[in-house]
Amino acid sequence: MMRAASVSREIKVFFANIQGICAFFSTSPQRTAVLDDIVKNRLPRAVVTRWNFQSRSVMTIFEHREAIVECMKSLINDTAIHNESTICQASGHLKILTDKHFMYWLSFFSKVMPFIDIMFGQLQKTHTDPTVTQQIILGFEKNMLKIRSEIENDKSESMQSVPSKRRKINSDELKRQSIEVCDVITVQIQERFKFTGHLSAACLFMPENFPNYEIAFPDTTLNFFVTITTVSTKEKLRLNFKI
């Protein structure tokens, strides 16, 4: 996901803001109390090194954005709150939560991340058949292609050009960046799981698995092993595993 975030400065800023909003509440019991009262849902604690933190944070803020906006307003306007840092930060986060670019990326990543979560959940199982692995990856690529196509075919002009110190960002530029993110994530997944089947094939040679071969031999894994090696006598190899 770090590669995807490096597509543009705007995306880096988006994830930094996501982390900042979560940290804003997690570091103060008073702010957390207001969050519990209005949103009735805790934001994940900031753990920048974990993918699932980013995913859960994006999905939580996406689902409860309007309530979190009300929470920020309450922190700003509540006369019982005297902490200037809290008021200042709440004001800044309120602007972020209502910013069109932030809302665009929040919506975009809320579509992408559930598919990544599902895929990683399936692929992180201890024993994954190489054929199943390929099916999971192909399914993920299909979903990413669908999101990509929806972006390409979106004719809405809701995003007007917004001034920036670097350049103006309009709907066409946001589309381009979104499509690039889809492509980067897809390529990264392909690279990361390129040799997953090889690891599954290696399990064939684990002695603790040998007794199970009399009951149910992993023919699919053996077939894959044959395709990635020079072994041609599959039946002989199959027999040796059972000895």
Side-chain angles (χ1 to χ4, degrees):
M1 197 61 199
M2 292 180 66
R3 289 189 196 175
S6 66
V7 166
S8 73
R9 185 66 179 175
E10 283 71 26
I11 299 176
K12 285 187 177 181
V13 170
F14 167 76
F15 280 110
N17 286 331
I18 289 289
Q19 182 186 349
I21 292 169
C22 293
F24 173 72
F25 288 104
S26 65
T27 56
S28 169
Q30 185 183 42
R31 300 169 194 168
T32 301
V34 176
L35 183 72
D36 290 342
D37 182 52
I38 297 177
V39 182
K40 296 179 174 58
N41 196 89
R42 294 279 180 99
L43 296 179
R45 286 186 173 273
V47 184
V48 295
T49 57
R50 293 185 180 178
W51 158 257
N52 61 350
F53 158 70
Q54 298 284 18
S55 177
R56 289 187 296 112
S57 299
V58 167
M59 297 310 299
T60 302
I61 293 175
F62 175 75
E63 293 169 5
H64 302 281
R65 188 189 67 84
E66 292 183 0
I68 296 172
V69 165
E70 293 304 314
C71 184
M72 296 299 181
K73 290 179 179 178
S74 177
L75 289 168
I76 294 170
N77 299 320
D78 191 344
T79 56
I81 295 177
H82 304 289
N83 188 296
E84 293 181 355
S85 177
T86 294
I87 297 171
C88 179
Q89 290 183 63
S91 179
H93 290 312
L94 177 61
K95 291 179 180 178
I96 290 168
L97 287 162
T98 54
D99 177 76
K100 287 185 177 181
H101 281 185
F102 178 85
M103 289 190 289
Y104 175 87
W105 289 117
L106 187 65
S107 176
F108 170 76
F109 283 108
S110 73
K111 297 174 184 176
V112 172
M113 288 184 167
F115 292 119
I116 298 178
D117 287 341
I118 292 171
M119 185 194 63
F120 270 90
Q122 292 173 322
L123 293 179
Q124 286 178 345
K125 294 178 181 178
T126 306
H127 298 289
T128 304
D129 188 288
T131 303
V132 174
T133 299
Q134 288 301 314
Q135 291 174 347
I136 292 170
I137 294 174
L138 288 173
F140 174 78
E141 291 175 358
K142 183 179 179 180
N143 288 321
M144 291 302 297
L145 184 61
K146 182 180 178 181
I147 293 173
R148 193 183 192 280
S149 298
E150 289 174 352
I151 295 169
E152 287 182 320
N153 297 326
D154 184 9
K155 304 299 182 182
S156 65
E157 296 293 336
S158 57
M159 290 298 300
Q160 302 296 323
S161 296
V162 179
S164 168
K165 291 182 179 180
R166 296 177 296 279
R167 64 182 185 276
K168 289 185 177 181
I169 308 297
N170 56 29
S171 57
D172 290 337
E173 176 62 15
L174 286 173
K175 281 185 179 182
R176 185 198 67 77
Q177 292 181 12
S178 302
I179 290 170
E180 187 174 353
V181 169
C182 290
D183 293 342
V184 168
I185 292 175
T186 300
V187 171
Q188 191 173 6
I189 292 300
Q190 290 172 341
E191 291 178 352
R192 178 164 184 173
F193 294 102
K194 184 177 181 180
F195 297 103
T196 300
H198 295 65
L199 295 175
S200 297
C203 292
L204 280 171
F205 300 93
M206 297 175 65
E208 58 268 30
N209 292 333
F210 291 172
N212 298 326
Y213 295 164
E214 288 292 343
I215 303 171
F217 193 84
D219 286 296
T220 304
T221 304
L222 177 61
N223 291 336
F224 179 81
F225 175 75
V226 172
T227 63
I228 62 174
T229 64
T230 57
V231 176
S232 58
T233 54
K234 182 174 67 174
E235 288 304 319
K236 183 177 180 180
L237 183 62
R238 189 178 191 277
L239 181 62
N240 288 337
F241 276 124
K242 290 186 176 182
I243 295 176

